Amino acid sequence: MSQDIKKKLDRVFNPRTVAVVGDKQMNNYMWLRNMTSFRGKAYSVQIDPNEIPGIEALGFDNYYSLLDIPEPIDYVIVAVPREVAPKIIADCIKKQVGGVTLFTAGFAETGTEDGIRLQKRITDMAKEAGLSLIGPNCMGIFNPKIGLRNGFNQYYGEGGPVGFVSQSGTHSIWFSLVGALHGIKISKSVSYGNAVVLDSTDYLEYLAQDEETKVIGMYIEGVKDGRRFFKLLREVTPKKPVLIWKGGQTEEGQRATASHTASLAESPVIWEALIKQCGAIKVDSLDEMVDVTKALLYLKPTTGNRVGLIAMTGGQSVVITDTFAKAGLRVPLLTEASYREFASFFNIIGSSYRNPLDISSNFGSVELLMRMVDILGRDENIDSVVLELSMAFLAIIRQRAEKFLDDLLDALTNFKDRSEKPFLTILIPGPEETAALETRARLVERGIACFPDFARGANALRKVIDYYCFHSTSGELSHGEKEL
Amino acid sequence: MSQDIKKKLDRVFNPRTVAVVGDKQMNNYMWLRNMTSFRGKAYSVQIDPNEIPGIEALGFDNYYSLLDIPEPIDYVIVAVPREVAPKIIADCIKKQVGGVTLFTAGFAETGTEDGIRLQKRITDMAKEAGLSLIGPNCMGIFNPKIGLRNGFNQYYGEGGPVGFVSQSGTHSIWFSLVGALHGIKISKSVSYGNAVVLDSTDYLEYLAQDEETKVIGMYIEGVKDGRRFFKLLREVTPKKPVLIWKGGQTEEGQRATASHTASLAESPVIWEALIKQCGAIKVDSLDEMVDVTKALLYLKPTTGNRVGLIAMTGGQSVVITDTFAKAGLRVPLLTEASYREFASFFNIIGSSYRNPLDISSNFGSVELLMRMVDILGRDENIDSVVLELSMAFLAIIRQRAEKFLDDLLDALTNFKDRSEKPFLTILIPGPEETAALETRARLVERGIACFPDFARGANALRKVIDYYCFHSTSGELSHGEKEL
């Protein structure tokens, strides 16, 4: 990995000074509004006299040219019409700025002569000058710690451990916002559009060396230099998990990537094979990106695939089992010791405990529930413990038995902290959609991994087990794997 | 199909008199509380003097024996301890009731000698007497029209066109409650547990002849007479779509069905093949049951698989396309006429219209959006129209532009009503979870099919197209199919 990229992009990802060029009323001054949280100094550049009062009313100093700003500029966001882009790029080069995000769209992705010609021109200019150009046709950098945002609804002040590299602005912003609801906070993210100068490989190389970033997610429509990308990917994955969501997996999807970021068609089969060979994690949707990232952050690592399952009713005990088994996980019988213990207190009328557990008629108190969770936590045949928290649970929450919920959360947090096994909960909203949202927030607060259905929980667990197995360097596999 | 079943079960599914035997304080008198909505007359039978004041306080007449009730009883719900069940079954036979739901559990599903012996006893008694016994270990009948419920949170007064037959009480109740949030109302449903006398086949035969029921959903853990079941299924599916969710699709899942309803293991491969051969629809989760039922109820039928896709941003245009293409749907180019029309007004800077449409920079007004929807509605290359309503849309809703939402809903309803093509919307909550719930309710009110992500929408559309293709008797296939 090259130190050059790190040095070069550190200034862009952690700017102290930012200039926004061409923001306007029609866009509700979105870029300047995003900048209101910025910890450094932000300037506006705008020549339209009709726009300047609005800009100044927001509290920003406006200049007629980038070159007039009386200090060095680390990062520039450009939102001018496409015809004006070359002029602004020239100013950026002259000003020796750290880097530029070209929000401006209308280039090669339009498939028009004008667009293609303009894109070539700015690309040539930036490459010749060694300018770090992000985009065009993108949202650029989100660094919550310093309040540098892509959208006014993004958080700031405190970041997290997850880096995100996305060829789509929607996916980049949504991942940050949806992720936050699930306890996933961003260290740094970048939406990079047409990738004419800097490409996914450069951002991956940067985040691989970024100390704040422990997990890296990527949404990619196409790479410019596949050989360099996969060589780097192979180096990064043993140190930091990399999740890859490839846009354009079908012929029709590739027509869409061409119109979106002018990306060229690439074989989905080869991508899948290379992701696997490099020990990265393939995901196929934003939800799956959220789920697997959550599992990486909040589940203790394991290479064992034997799960202990607790469902709140009989019908759910069947479905949770089918779903985890179909995901390639094993639902083994428990040890004799566990069965003896269950036999000493468990009411089998309307319930059962073979694994899965159906605890319908045994859900009386937090102590009783934790006794069952603890048996699975101790059982030698079990590598991960999965607890459904739906039907009866949400009904109780709806009745606002706050004390019960607090006690249960305390007990589950305690179990999660002391158990060496991954512990995950499944909170299916069912008809209790609002109660489920509120309860999920409480679980997230406690750092308890929570999935909205069995399939998403099973898939996330399966994917992180695969990751840990691939990179298991000790040569020692767990019980579950030995028996396979 | 036999008229006998219809006659026999009509009395049980549409009772005018109901008796609840053995309800108690410990269960919060749940069965009697469920009966407070019942349009006929409901009685209580309870011999425990400590329970009777609570029962009378709820407004029910209590008797010490079923035989003491001074009128014929159509339907009995039995919630006594398992040892008492044979005595009550004997009373039911003597009283010549229409049918019995045995809520009582603890029979063969426990795997205990006592449980197996008791189950055999009640089975023999009921069979010998020709008693319509539902269960044991189940919730019985839900008939909203007459206010006969399984749970206090179920609706009543007005039913719908969907029958549901479920070996699990959870799935039966959840389907009714979750379904209602998606515009799916129940005609009649039954949770039937261990199925010792009446089995899935009997209920299917009944609902096939029930005039209120247009679509039938089933959750089955095992059938007693497979030959009869599949023979009947083949007869029913051309008249009414039947959706089948098989519990116990894996070895481990079959261990769970044994503990849940004492169902025997059955080959999932054979089930899958037979469901397909019979022209039924296989689903694998409650969510999928809801999705495909919704598509059957709210989408115009088509046998063509060519979709026109509208996404609100570029990133989503790629994902919607990959997802629909992976589900086996085609995303074709549009006609030249459509392209000419788009070229006359569509701003391609930041957007595109090849199919998929990325309308990012073209989402200004309801008129503009509907102009685009209408072009797809008229395009001869397109069989179904899919509209993403997420990012920009939910942001607007959150800003409470009520007028905009009303106008849009009017316009979409109008399009849905006049277009011959299936029209579906995708409303991905993303970070706007509460706004999405509220907005979904508005779409449901209008009868506009709405799915919470691309994959669920694509899958539901694919499954109903397969159903209509299988049962297409005209021999005429649509354009889309001809080209395959």
Side-chain angles (χ1 to χ4, degrees), chain A residues 15-315:
Chain A
R16 282 161 306 171
T17 53
V18 170
V20 173
V21 183
D23 209 10
K24 48 183 183 281
Q25 172 72 51
M26 210 188 77
N27 285 338
N28 195 26
Y29 301 113
M30 65 171 269
W31 286 107
L32 288 168
R33 280 182 200 277
N34 293 345
M35 280 302 137
T36 51
S37 58
F38 180 53
R39 282 204 341 208
K41 172 81 179 164
Y43 298 92
S44 166
V45 175
Q46 175 57 271
I47 53 169
D48 184 343
N50 296 320
E51 300 286 1
I52 296 170
I55 289 167
E56 288 175 347
L58 286 170
F60 293 94
D61 295 338
N62 185 72
Y63 291 85
Y64 284 83
S65 162
L66 200 60
L67 302 173
D68 297 342
I69 299 176
E71 64 171 325
I73 294 295
D74 295 326
Y75 179 55
V76 184
I77 297 161
V78 180
V80 299
R82 62 179 178 170
E83 299 77 14
V84 186
K87 156 83 176 84
I88 305 299
I89 295 295
D91 284 355
C92 288
I93 292 167
K94 201 163 182 188
K95 179 84 180 168
Q96 296 184 298
V97 304
V100 180
T101 280
L102 204 49
F103 171 62
T104 306
F107 295 95
E109 81 279 6
T110 60
T112 60
E113 259 183 52
D114 279 2
I116 293 166
R117 185 179 41 76
L118 268 171
Q119 175 162 314
K120 183 165 181 340
R121 187 155 162 221
I122 56 165
T123 305
D124 290 347
M125 290 171 70
K127 281 194 173 160
E128 194 182 330
L131 176 70
S132 292
L133 179 62
I134 301 171
N137 183 23
C138 72
M139 303 296 289
I141 292 168
F142 171 46
N143 180 338
K145 203 167 149 189
I146 60 169
L148 180 65
R149 297 181 297 170
N150 307 134
F152 196 67
N153 47 355
Q154 284 182 312
Y155 52 89
Y156 63 92
E158 203 184 345
V162 180
F164 198 66
V165 175
S166 171
Q167 207 150 359
S168 147
T170 300
H171 301 332
S172 178
I173 293 177
W174 275 38
F175 180 71
S176 73
L177 297 175
V178 175
L181 297 170
H182 291 261
I184 297 167
K185 288 280 192 92
I186 295 291
S187 53
K188 291 155 182 101
S189 82
V190 60
S191 141
Y192 66 93
N194 295 11
V196 297
V197 174
L198 291 169
D199 193 16
S200 47
T201 317
D202 302 300
Y203 303 116
L204 176 61
E205 193 165 355
Y206 174 71
L207 290 178
Q209 297 173 74
D210 178 50
E211 281 182 13
E212 290 171 357
T213 301
K214 310 296 179 197
V215 174
I216 300 168
M218 308 186 86
Y219 169 78
I220 297 176
E221 297 189 350
V223 293
K224 307 289 173 188
D225 182 348
R227 189 177 296 267
R228 187 179 150 229
F229 176 75
F230 287 108
K231 182 171 174 295
L232 174 68
L233 184 61
R234 192 184 297 267
E235 284 175 51
V236 178
T237 62
K239 292 163 207 142
K240 300 183 184 183
V242 180
L243 299 89
I244 298 180
W245 176 16
K246 176 67 176 67
Q249 296 183 10
T250 61
E251 198 184 316
E252 294 93 335
Q254 287 170 356
R255 189 197 307 143
T257 61
S259 296
H260 181 220
T261 57
S263 293
L264 302 176
E266 291 165 4
S267 158
V269 179
I270 291 178
W271 265 87
E272 187 163 350
L274 285 171
I275 289 171
K276 200 171 174 183
Q277 281 173 30
C278 293
I281 302 169
K282 178 175 180 277
V283 298
D284 285 324
S285 68
L286 189 86
D287 286 341
E288 198 180 2
M289 183 71 79
V290 167
D291 292 340
V292 183
T293 303
K294 189 195 298 179
L296 287 164
L297 294 178
Y298 290 104
L299 299 185
K300 306 257 169 86
T302 185
T303 55
N305 68 354
R306 301 166 311 168
V307 293
L309 304 175
I310 306 178
M312 294 237 157
T313 65

Side-chain angles (χ1 to χ4, degrees), chain B residues 25-277:
Chain B
Q25 171 72 51
M26 211 187 78
N27 285 338
N28 195 26
Y29 300 114
M30 64 172 270
W31 287 108
L32 288 168
R33 280 183 200 278
N34 293 345
M35 280 304 136
T36 51
S37 58
F38 180 53
R39 281 204 341 210
K41 172 82 178 163
Y43 298 91
S44 165
V45 175
Q46 174 57 272
I47 54 168
D48 184 342
N50 296 320
E51 301 286 3
I52 296 170
I55 289 167
E56 288 176 346
L58 286 170
F60 293 93
D61 296 337
N62 186 71
Y63 291 84
Y64 284 83
S65 162
L66 200 58
L67 302 173
D68 296 345
I69 299 176
E71 65 172 324
I73 294 295
D74 296 324
Y75 179 54
V76 184
I77 297 162
V78 180
V80 301
R82 60 179 179 171
E83 299 77 15
V84 186
K87 156 83 174 84
I88 306 298
I89 295 295
D91 284 356
C92 288
I93 292 167
K94 202 161 178 189
K95 179 85 180 168
Q96 296 184 295
V97 304
V100 180
T101 280
L102 204 48
F103 171 61
T104 306
F107 295 95
E109 81 280 5
T110 61
T112 59
E113 259 182 53
D114 279 2
I116 293 166
R117 185 177 42 76
L118 269 170
Q119 176 162 315
K120 184 165 181 339
R121 189 155 159 222
I122 55 165
T123 306
D124 290 346
M125 289 171 71
K127 281 193 174 163
E128 195 181 331
L131 177 69
S132 293
L133 179 61
I134 301 171
N137 183 26
C138 72
M139 304 297 288
I141 292 167
F142 171 46
N143 180 338
K145 201 167 151 190
I146 59 169
L148 180 64
R149 296 181 298 170
N150 307 133
F152 196 67
N153 46 356
Q154 285 182 311
Y155 52 89
Y156 62 92
E158 202 183 346
V162 180
F164 198 65
V165 175
S166 170
Q167 207 150 359
S168 146
T170 301
H171 301 331
S172 177
I173 294 177
W174 275 38
F175 180 71
S176 73
L177 297 174
V178 175
L181 296 171
H182 292 260
I184 297 167
K185 288 280 193 90
I186 295 291
S187 53
K188 294 159 180 94
S189 82
V190 59
S191 141
Y192 65 93
N194 294 12
V196 297
V197 174
L198 291 170
D199 193 16
S200 46
T201 317
D202 302 300
Y203 303 116
L204 175 60
E205 193 165 354
Y206 176 70
L207 290 178
Q209 297 173 72
D210 178 50
E211 281 183 14
E212 289 171 359
T213 301
K214 310 295 180 198
V215 174
I216 300 168
M218 308 187 85
Y219 169 78
I220 298 175
E221 298 190 349
V223 293
K224 307 291 173 187
D225 182 346
R227 188 175 296 266
R228 188 180 147 227
F229 176 75
F230 287 107
K231 182 172 174 294
L232 175 67
L233 184 61
R234 193 184 297 266
E235 284 174 51
V236 177
T237 62
K239 291 164 208 141
K240 300 183 183 182
V242 181
L243 299 89
I244 298 181
W245 175 16
K246 176 68 176 66
Q249 297 184 7
T250 60
E251 200 185 317
E252 295 92 334
Q254 286 170 356
R255 190 197 307 141
T257 60
S259 295
H260 180 220
T261 56
S263 293
L264 301 177
E266 290 165 5
S267 159
V269 178
I270 291 177
W271 265 88
E272 187 163 350
L274 286 171
I275 290 171
K276 200 170 173 185
Q277 282 172 30

Side-chain angles (χ1 to χ4, degrees), chain A residues 389-407:
Chain A
L389 288 175
S390 307
M391 191 76 173
F393 182 71
L394 286 168
I396 289 168
I397 304 314
R398 210 163 50 102
Q399 289 158 23
R400 311 202 172 284
E402 276 300 326
K403 176 78 171 72
F404 173 86
L405 180 57
D406 286 339
D407 290 351

